[in-house]
């Protein structure tokens, strides 16, 4: 007794099962987070090592290489990316997908601890953290107020806004953009200090020793116990001027004798502007695994409460991915509904029976809802990939039910009772239904097991499809027979068989012709397959189609040494140049970056990002057209490098050149960049090579310094504190009610701008203070602004905006350039970013396809208990490729992630037609004693209708996706196009070619058995 007949006899357990699955699915759908794409980041750990004042070259030798060598011993390590700037080393350690993030964090900390004793003693405590938030912000806002000045508004964002937003579930981080930091500036008078024999270092350290609170001790006054605390702090910055400062040698000076005190702002290193007006901005980052739309709702409600409490606040949304995520979710759900409705209409069109249509249509919700429950349990999200999986397999989900209902209808027309017709029909079709479902399952499983970023793409898509397909099998085997027996009405027995229509007669005549002219049919099918393979080089390859997100970013980079005001000026010039570009609603400019590690650290004041907020999609040209106009205008703006990107994958090409030979690396990168500019369709060619900035070099005269008892460390400390102030940890603090403000001692700006004034700074020696110029030589030279390392070797990144050019075509053109062909042996050219992921995808996809075909063969062998007939079934796969490739060519789509997903889906779908034909033919030969030719004609006669029905239902289900109506369908479209194209050719050809293949395989099998029997 099989499942189907058991459920007919015992309907209550099956009904209860699906009631529980439906409830779990509804609950799971409510809990699933909404995202654009799954979290596609590999397990990553960030390491920050700070040694304030150290040059990049020094940090590379003393810090970076030591830590990198230790990290290289960790298992599961994929890449180490190191960025070295003034006083700061940042390492981004990427691990393979199989490595748990918690294990990666522990291993990374252990590796750094192993070499901590080998690092410089003045290196600050390393900061090691796992990356738990997405790399790009989901929301960016600008805030202004006519009640608060810039400093107060900046503190309001840091304190009030920051606390409120970080309390919203799912917010991983909030960064302020622009604004200033309050600071007490103590500007020393070098002449007065020299007269009193005091140095900047003396004043800074004395303030630290004096301006502090210390606790310790215990009192027992009045027979009760008290703690003892020493308080020696001032409440206002102005009180510092009268403060007596005790020096190390016991002398005392009043602070206003050697310096002036200013309650002001720290040196500005960032700025934010909205349409040219100064504002303070902030960006919100999503923690991994959380719903973007719920985070956005919580953030919006929080900001609305703030605005209601303070009418002077003007909070303006600037950009973010949330609206695009909502749009993609609505679009995907709409496609799911439209596909389901179209599939049901196709069923009704063929069956013309609302009862049978209702039975078939019930398979859709009952198959999809359990998938939502499983997705929630697996930790998946409602994203473009998972919803795409459900939208695409809408036609497949109803397939099993269509096949069973159509077979039940055929048996009812024989005059059987509904119960008998149902039982006979589902038993007859059982093997075919199970075989079609299992082939779909096994073709997806290998792709879900791919490693790296491609695995993240395929995993959620594949498992979602597998679960839904298995649920559809459960519906078809358990529930469809029950519903059919309850809802369908018996047919009156017909005395004469129903006449075939004209199309059926034409089809059967075509099958007979093909069976008569087998060589011609096979030659034509082989030629079609070879032509299909020849089309592959004509299809451009890529990673992900460029999307229309409603905003794009112009990254501006000025030469090293440029000031913040220079960057603001150029950024405003760019904004003015883009003023007349149609479709741009507003421009938000973020200049510079917050300092890392405190004072003395380099900030990117020479870089800025202009976020171009676009109008509604129906009121503007496409984002790609706008970006093309922007690139054309930027080509006329001098003095900076530009890059235009919408923030998604598939928009840029990045290649890296690595070498241990710095000179060869620099020369090769310059030559490669020069040649790359000759590739016409690429734009914004840029490289990190030759980024040298001016710097003041202090070279001590070691002999003279030793004679005066002055160490190199003392010289370095004196110049550092005088120009930038002491380390943050060593600074005195002004304690306010709700925060601490740094008290920074340094020379005035005029002294920092004069190398002679710097040379006259005094250094403590054995015989009193001596001028710096007597111990060292100061000169303005140049040095690397930044040193980048990739997997323990120096590297240079060469990037370009694709501007619609396929990634594969761009990579081929780049690697064919003379500079790439003639690189020295010491320099390696490596893919990175999208290029690296695309290479992983190509290699992993081929293996996954072969594994999927092998798994399908094994499943079919087990189900049919035959090693040869599965070959007949799989012969439909080559027949589908031509249609898929032609469809991609006609639609001008690329061979990328979505189209490859479509090809995988196609492999499982097209075998369905062969299974229905072959299974019925085998049953006819084995059980009814028909001759092979008669069995084939009978199978084509009885199975062509459900084959066409299911194919049309699948095409109808995917048609809304292929048309790309409504929201941005750039990701969904290529997959649907590939599947529809493949379905059309495979269905038309397999109905004619598979019977011919069957005759050859069956003839060989008979010949082989006769030879073995002899």
């Amino acid at each position: 007794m099989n499942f189907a007949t058991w459920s007919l006899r015992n309907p209550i357990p099956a009904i209860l099962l699906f009631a529980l699955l439906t409830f779990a699915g509804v609950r799971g759908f409510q809990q699933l987070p909404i995202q654009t794409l799954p979290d596609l980041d590999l397990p990553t750990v960030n390491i920050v090592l700070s040694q304030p004042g150290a040059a990049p070259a020094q940090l590379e030798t003393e810090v970076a290489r030591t830590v990198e060598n230790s990290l290289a011993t960790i298992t599961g390590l994929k890449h180490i990316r190191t960025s070295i700037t003034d006083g700061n080393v940042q390492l981004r350690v990427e691990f393979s997908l199989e490595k748990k993030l918690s294990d990666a964090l522990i291993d990374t900390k252990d590796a750094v601890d192993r070499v901590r004793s080998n690092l410089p003693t003045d290196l600050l405590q390393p900061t090691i953290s796992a990356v738990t938030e997405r790399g790009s912000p989901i929301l960016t806002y600008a805030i202004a107020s006519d009640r608060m000045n810039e400093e107060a508004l900046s503190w309001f964002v840091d304190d009030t806004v920051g606390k409120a937003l970080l309390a919203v579930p799912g917010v991983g981080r909030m960064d302020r953009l622009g604004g200033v930091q309050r600071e007490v500036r103590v500007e020393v008078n070098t002449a007065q200090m020299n007269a009193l024999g005091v140095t900047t270092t003396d004043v800074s350290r004395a303030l630290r020793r004096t301006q502090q609170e210390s606790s310790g001790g215990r009192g027992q006054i009045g027979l009760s116990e008290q703690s003892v605390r020493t308080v020696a702090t001032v409440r206002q910055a102005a009180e510092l001027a009268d403060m007596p400062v005790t020096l190390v040698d016991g002398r005392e000076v009043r602070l206003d004798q050697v310096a002036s005190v200013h309650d002001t702002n720290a040196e500005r290193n960032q700025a934010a502007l909205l349409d040219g007006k100064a504002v303070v901005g902030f960006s919100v980052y999503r923690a991994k695994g959380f719903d973007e739309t719920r985070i956005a709702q919580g953030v919006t409600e929080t900001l609305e409460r703030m605005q209601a409490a303070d009418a002077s606040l003007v909070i303006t949304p600037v950009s973010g991915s949330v609206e695009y995520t909502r749009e993609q979710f609505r679009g995907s759900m709409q496609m799911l509904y439209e596909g389901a409705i179209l599939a049901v209409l196709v069923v009704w069109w063929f069956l013309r029976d609302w009862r049978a249509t209702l039975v078939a249509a019930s398979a859709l919700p009952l198959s999809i809802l359990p998938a939502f429950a499983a997705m929630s349990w697996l930790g998946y999200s409602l994203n473009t990939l998972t919803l795409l999986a459900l939208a695409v397999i809408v036609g497949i989900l109803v397939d099993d039910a269509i096949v069973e209902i159509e077979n039940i209808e055929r048996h009812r027309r024989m005059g059987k009772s509904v119960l008998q017709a149902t039982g006979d029909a589902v038993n007859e079709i059982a093997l075919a239904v199970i075989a079609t479902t299992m082939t779909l399952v096994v073709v997806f499983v290998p792709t879900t097991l791919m490693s790296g970023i491609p695995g993240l793409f395929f995993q959620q898509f594949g498992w979602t499809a597998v679960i839904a397909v298995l649920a559809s099998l459960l519906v078809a085997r358990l529930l469809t027979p029950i519903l059919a027996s309850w809802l369908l009405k018996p047919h009156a027995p017909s005395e004469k068989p129903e006449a075939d229509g004209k199309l059926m007669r034409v089809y059967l005549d075509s099958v007979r012709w093909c069976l008569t002219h087998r060589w011609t049919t096979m030659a034509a099918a082989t030629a079609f397959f070879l032509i299909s393979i020849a089309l592959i080089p004509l299809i451009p390859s890529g990673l992900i189609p460029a999307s229309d997100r409603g905003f794009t970013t112009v990254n501006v980079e000025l030469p090293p040494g440029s000031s913040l005001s220079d960057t603001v000026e150029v950024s405003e010039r760019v904004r003015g140049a883009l003023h007349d570009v149609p479709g741009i609603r507003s421009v938000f400019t973020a200049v510079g970056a917050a300092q890392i590690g405190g004072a003395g650290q380099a900030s990117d004041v020479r870089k800025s990002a202009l976020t171009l907020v676009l109008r509604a999609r129906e009121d503007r040209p496409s984002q790609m057209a706008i970006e093309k106009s922007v690139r054309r205008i930027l080509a006329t703006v001098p003095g900076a490098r530009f890059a235009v990107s919408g923030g998604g994958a598939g928009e840029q090409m990045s290649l890296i050149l690595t070498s241990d030979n710095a000179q060869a690396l620099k020369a090769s990168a310059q030559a490669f960049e020069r040649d790359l500019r000759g590739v016409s369709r690429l734009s914004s060619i840029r490289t990190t090579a030759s980024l040298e900035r001016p710097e003041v070099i202090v070279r001590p005269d070691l002999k003279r310094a030793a004679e005066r008892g002055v160490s190199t460390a003392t010289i370095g400390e004196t110049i550092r504190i005088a120009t930038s102030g002491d380390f943050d940890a060593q600074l005195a603090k002004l304690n306010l009610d709700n925060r601490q403000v740094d008290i920074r001692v340094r020379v005035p700006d005029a002294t920092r701008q004069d190398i002679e004034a710097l040379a006259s700074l005094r250094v403590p020696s054995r015989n009193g203070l001596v001028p710096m110029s007597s111990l060292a030589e100061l000169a303005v030279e140049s040095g690397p602004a930044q040193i980048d390392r990739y997997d323990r070797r120096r590297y240079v990144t060469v990037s370009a905006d694709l501007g619609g050019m396929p990634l594969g075509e761009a990579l081929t053109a780049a690697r064919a350039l003379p500079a790439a062909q003639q690189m020295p042996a010491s320099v390696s050219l490596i893919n990175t970013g999208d290029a690296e992921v695309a290479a992983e995808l190509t290699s992993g996809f081929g293996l996954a396809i072969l594994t999927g075909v092998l798994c399908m063969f094994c499943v079919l062998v087990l189900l049919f208990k035959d090693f040869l007939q599965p070959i007949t079934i799989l012969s439909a796969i080559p027949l589908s490729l031509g249609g898929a490739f032609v469809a991609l060519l006609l639609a001008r789509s690329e061979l990328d992630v979505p189209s490859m997903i479509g090809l995988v889906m196609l492999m499982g779908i097209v075998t369905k037609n062969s299974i229905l034909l072959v299974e019925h033919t085998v049953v006819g030969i084995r059980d009814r004693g028909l001759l092979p030719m008669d069995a084939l004609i009978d199978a084509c006669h009885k199975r062509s209708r459900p084959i066409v029905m299911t194919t049309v239902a699948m095409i109808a289900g995917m048609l809304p996706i292929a048309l790309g109506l409504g929201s941005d369908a750039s990701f969904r479209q290529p997959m649907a196009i590939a599947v529809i194209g493949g379905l059309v050719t495979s269905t038309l050809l397999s109905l004619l070619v598979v019977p011919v293949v069957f005759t050859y395989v069956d003839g060989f099998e008979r010949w082989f058995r006769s030879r073995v029997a002899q």
Side-chain angles (χ1 to χ4, degrees):
M1 182 183 297
N2 58 36
F3 276 127
T5 55
W6 178 86
S7 65
L8 284 172
R9 296 172 184 270
N10 304 278
I12 292 178
I15 294 173
L16 284 177
L17 172 65
F18 281 98
L20 292 174
L21 288 175
T22 300
F23 174 77
V26 172
R27 181 62 177 163
F29 180 80
Q30 294 173 341
Q31 294 179 333
L32 283 169
I34 298 173
Q35 300 173 5
T36 306
L37 288 172
D39 293 323
L40 299 177
D41 301 323
L42 296 173
T44 303
V45 177
N46 281 340
I47 305 172
V48 179
L49 302 161
S50 297
Q51 187 181 1
Q58 173 191 351
L59 288 171
E60 180 186 31
T61 303
E62 298 181 358
V63 178
R65 288 176 178 168
T66 304
V67 175
E68 287 173 349
N69 291 337
S70 181
L71 292 171
T73 62
I74 301 176
T75 57
L77 180 69
K78 187 170 184 180
H79 293 304
I80 304 174
R81 297 177 183 268
T82 307
S83 177
I84 309 170
T85 56
D86 272 346
N88 190 68
V89 178
Q90 285 189 325
L91 297 98
R92 184 177 179 86
V93 189
E94 296 179 359
F95 294 87
S96 60
L97 187 61
E98 295 74 23
K99 184 92 170 182
K100 289 184 179 179
L101 184 57
S102 57
D103 294 341
L105 182 61
I106 294 171
D107 291 347
T108 302
K109 287 183 176 180
D110 290 343
V112 175
D113 289 342
R114 281 198 301 268
V115 296
R116 184 67 180 91
S117 59
N118 299 331
L119 301 176
T121 55
D122 57 346
L123 186 78
L124 302 183
Q125 183 65 29
T127 302
I128 304 171
S129 58
V131 177
T132 56
E133 72 274 348
R134 292 301 311 277
S136 56
I138 62 169
L139 292 167
T140 300
Y141 289 87
I143 184 169
S145 172
D146 55 11
R147 183 179 60 85
M148 291 181 276
N149 60 25
E150 188 177 21
E151 187 279 324
L153 187 60
S154 300
W155 174 243
F156 177 79
V157 170
D158 290 340
D159 183 52
T160 307
V161 176
K163 288 178 181 176
L165 294 187
L166 290 175
V168 176
V171 174
R173 192 174 94 236
M174 192 210 82
D175 287 346
R176 171 164 58 85
L177 305 172
V180 292
Q181 194 79 20
R182 183 177 175 183
E183 180 180 275
V184 176
R185 182 85 53 77
V186 178
E187 293 189 347
V188 296
N189 186 311
T190 54
Q192 292 175 342
M193 283 199 307
N194 294 341
L196 294 172
V198 179
T199 67
T200 310
T201 304
D202 293 335
V203 177
S204 180
R205 297 291 166 80
L207 269 175
R208 170 64 180 169
R209 290 192 301 269
T210 305
Q211 175 71 12
Q212 65 173 313
E213 295 184 11
S214 58
S215 59
R218 184 176 63 183
Q220 292 182 334
I221 300 172
L223 301 179
S224 63
E225 193 167 296
Q226 305 88 21
S227 62
V228 178
R229 187 159 61 100
T230 303
V231 180
T233 57
V234 297
R235 292 190 171 274
Q236 295 182 1
E239 299 177 22
L240 289 172
D242 298 330
M243 187 174 181
V245 178
T246 303
L247 304 178
V248 178
D249 58 5
R251 290 182 298 134
E252 176 188 307
V253 296
R254 211 170 59 247
L255 190 58
D256 60 4
Q257 290 182 273
V258 293
S260 57
V261 180
H262 307 278
D263 190 347
T264 181
N265 300 323
E267 187 174 3
R268 183 188 290 272
N269 59 14
Q270 56 177 329
L273 303 96
L274 181 60
D275 292 330
K277 298 179 180 179
V279 293
V280 177
F282 58 90
S283 294
V284 179
Y285 294 79
R286 173 178 67 86
K288 291 181 180 180
F290 283 85
D291 187 327
E292 291 183 24
T293 60
R294 291 173 189 166
I295 295 173
Q297 182 179 357
V299 169
T300 301
E301 292 173 354
T302 300
L303 296 178
E304 285 175 350
R305 287 195 296 269
M306 288 184 185
Q307 222 163 356
D310 187 348
S312 68
L313 290 176
V314 179
I315 303 175
T316 307
V318 174
S319 65
S321 61
V322 175
E323 190 54 42
Y324 180 76
T325 300
R326 287 197 184 103
E327 185 182 68
Q328 289 297 296
F329 175 72
R330 289 193 295 265
S332 297
M333 293 300 295
Q334 183 178 343
M335 297 295 178
L336 182 60
Y337 298 145
E338 291 174 353
I341 292 171
L342 287 172
V344 171
L345 288 176
V346 167
V347 175
W348 178 83
W349 177 261
F350 278 95
L351 299 180
R352 300 299 176 92
D353 185 336
W354 70 267
R355 295 175 180 272
T357 303
L358 180 62
V359 174
S362 65
L364 289 173
L366 294 174
S367 301
I368 290 176
L369 287 172
F372 288 140
M375 287 163 60
S376 177
W377 180 70
L378 292 170
Y380 292 172
S381 61
L382 291 171
N383 55 64
T384 302
L385 286 170
T386 53
L387 290 174
L388 185 60
L390 295 176
V392 169
I393 63 172
V394 156
I396 301 173
L397 295 181
V398 79
D399 266 8
D400 295 342
I402 288 176
V403 172
E404 291 197 344
I405 290 297
E406 195 276 339
N407 210 35
I408 291 170
E409 283 287 292
R410 188 169 60 82
H411 279 269
R412 282 200 302 151
R413 287 194 294 271
M414 297 177 185
K416 299 178 181 179
S417 68
V418 174
L419 189 62
Q420 183 185 357
T422 302
D424 293 345
V426 296
N427 282 328
E428 182 182 74
I429 207 72
L431 179 62
V433 169
I434 294 173
T436 55
T437 302
M438 296 312 297
T439 52
L440 276 169
V441 169
V442 297
V443 78
F444 276 115
V445 170
T447 60
T448 62
L449 301 177
M450 291 172 65
S451 61
I453 298 294
L456 293 174
F457 274 110
F458 280 95
Q459 187 182 60
Q460 292 202 17
F461 180 92
W463 283 120
T464 301
V466 165
I467 293 165
V469 169
L470 287 175
S472 75
L473 175 63
L474 204 61
V475 172
R477 292 284 80 201
L478 294 181
L479 203 60
T480 300
I482 297 174
L483 295 177
S485 65
W486 288 356
L487 292 176
L488 299 183
K489 299 296 183 182
H491 268 289
S494 178
E495 296 183 0
K496 57 181 180 179
E498 185 178 346
D500 293 329
K502 183 178 180 181
L503 284 176
M504 178 61 74
R505 293 196 301 271
V506 171
Y507 166 63
L508 292 177
D509 289 341
S510 300
V511 172
R512 292 187 183 97
W513 187 92
C514 291
L515 290 173
T516 305
H517 303 82
R518 295 191 302 168
W519 278 103
T520 304
T521 303
M522 291 303 298
T526 304
F528 179 81
F529 173 69
L530 294 176
I531 293 172
S532 303
I533 299 300
L535 292 176
I536 294 178
L538 302 179
I539 305 175
S541 60
L543 179 63
I544 296 177
S547 57
D548 191 330
R549 294 175 172 267
F551 68 92
T552 190
T553 303
V554 178
N555 291 299
V556 182
E557 182 179 3
L558 270 65
S562 301
S563 64
L564 183 74
S565 59
D566 294 335
T567 311
V568 171
E569 180 184 350
V570 172
S571 301
E572 281 299 284
R573 198 188 311 154
V574 171
R575 185 184 66 84
L578 301 179
H579 183 267
D580 295 328
V581 175
I584 298 178
R585 190 180 71 202
S586 61
V587 180
F588 177 76
T589 307
V591 183
Q595 291 183 341
I596 301 172
Q601 306 309 309
S603 57
D604 276 338
V605 296
R606 63 187 185 87
K607 295 181 180 180
S608 69
L610 282 73
T611 302
L612 313 181
V613 184
L614 309 182
R615 300 184 186 277
R617 187 175 287 109
E618 59 272 13
D619 299 332
R620 60 171 170 83
S622 68
Q623 182 170 323
M624 187 175 293
I626 293 175
E627 290 175 351
K628 186 176 180 180
S629 300
V630 169
R631 291 188 183 98
R632 186 173 61 251
I633 293 173
L634 292 178
T636 64
V637 180
R641 291 175 175 171
F642 302 102
V644 182
S645 171
E651 299 179 3
Q652 293 185 349
M653 176 189 71
S654 293
L655 297 169
I656 61 176
L657 283 70
T658 68
S659 178
D660 289 325
N661 187 328
Q663 295 302 319
L665 179 63
K666 178 179 176 181
S668 299
Q670 290 174 338
F672 187 63
E673 178 191 13
R674 185 171 56 250
D675 287 0
L676 202 59
R677 294 184 185 280
V679 181
S680 57
R681 296 178 64 185
L682 295 178
S683 60
S684 302
I685 314 298
R686 54 202 179 275
T687 175
T688 56
S690 302
L691 290 182
E692 294 195 349
R693 49 81 195 272
E695 57 185 10
V696 177
I697 301 296
V698 181
R699 287 192 170 84
D701 186 320
L702 300 180
K703 184 177 179 181
R704 280 190 288 173
E707 290 174 352
R708 290 169 173 78
V710 180
S711 65
T712 302
T714 302
I715 295 174
E717 185 179 59
T718 299
I719 195 74
R720 174 175 53 79
I721 294 178
T723 56
S724 298
D726 210 339
F727 299 147
D728 278 4
Q730 301 295 330
L731 292 177
K733 309 290 183 182
L734 177 66
N735 293 333
L736 303 179
D737 291 338
N738 55 357
R739 58 171 161 163
Q740 283 189 323
V741 177
D742 291 338
I743 302 175
R744 191 177 304 279
V745 179
R746 68 172 215 195
V747 298
D749 290 339
T751 303
R752 297 201 306 164
Q753 297 167 4
D754 185 356
I755 193 169
E756 296 297 330
L758 293 177
S760 65
L761 290 174
R762 296 301 194 265
V763 180
S765 69
R766 186 185 299 114
N767 301 319
L769 300 182
V770 296
M772 181 82 68
S773 57
S774 66
L775 301 173
E777 177 186 351
L778 279 72
V780 178
E781 298 180 8
S782 63
Q786 179 172 318
I787 296 175
D788 295 319
R789 294 172 61 82
Y790 180 84
D791 290 342
R792 299 190 290 167
R793 301 178 75 191
R794 278 199 185 189
Y795 80 94
V796 171
T797 303
V798 181
S799 305
D801 292 343
L802 294 175
M805 185 178 186
L807 178 61
E809 183 180 336
L811 288 171
T812 302
R815 291 186 172 275
L817 294 173
Q821 297 291 324
Q822 301 167 10
M823 280 185 183
S826 60
V827 181
S828 302
L829 182 62
I830 303 174
N831 293 335
T832 188
D834 291 351
E836 180 184 12
V837 176
E840 288 182 9
L841 179 66
T842 302
S843 60
F845 182 75
L847 180 61
I849 288 290
L850 292 175
T851 307
V853 171
L854 179 61
C855 289
M856 283 196 295
F857 178 79
C858 295
V859 167
L860 293 172
V861 167
L862 291 173
L863 291 174
F864 284 88
K865 299 177 182 178
D866 191 317
F867 280 93
L868 293 178
Q869 288 307 334
I871 297 175
T872 305
I873 294 171
L874 296 178
S875 66
I877 294 177
L879 302 177
S880 67
L881 297 179
F885 293 157
V886 169
L888 290 173
L889 277 173
L890 292 177
R892 296 183 179 180
S893 293
E894 299 177 359
L895 196 59
D896 48 20
V897 167
S899 58
M900 286 182 179
I901 289 176
L903 293 177
V904 173
M905 174 76 74
L906 200 57
M907 286 174 51
I909 294 173
V910 298
T911 56
K912 168 188 64 67
N913 301 341
S914 300
I915 289 172
L916 291 174
L917 287 175
V918 171
E919 187 269 344
H920 196 277
T921 304
V922 170
V923 170
I925 296 172
R926 184 188 62 207
D927 297 346
R928 290 186 288 160
L930 297 177
L931 295 174
M933 288 295 183
D934 296 335
L936 281 170
I937 296 297
D938 183 61
C940 292
H941 183 231
K942 294 179 178 177
R943 289 289 178 256
S944 58
R945 187 165 181 257
I947 286 173
V948 173
M949 284 177 62
T950 54
T951 300
V952 175
M954 279 185 284
I955 291 176
M958 283 180 289
L959 197 58
I961 306 174
L963 294 176
L965 304 176
S967 62
D968 178 38
S970 56
F971 188 92
R972 301 187 292 267
Q973 235 175 343
M975 189 194 65
I977 289 170
V979 173
I980 289 175
L983 276 176
V984 170
T985 58
S986 69
T987 301
L988 293 176
L989 294 178
S990 62
L991 285 172
L992 299 174
V993 176
V994 169
V996 176
V997 176
F998 182 92
T999 61
Y1000 280 110
V1001 173
D1002 183 66
F1004 175 80
E1005 188 173 14
R1006 291 174 185 273
W1007 172 83
F1008 182 77
R1009 286 177 178 173
S1010 65
R1011 298 288 294 181
V1012 172
Q1014 290 178 359

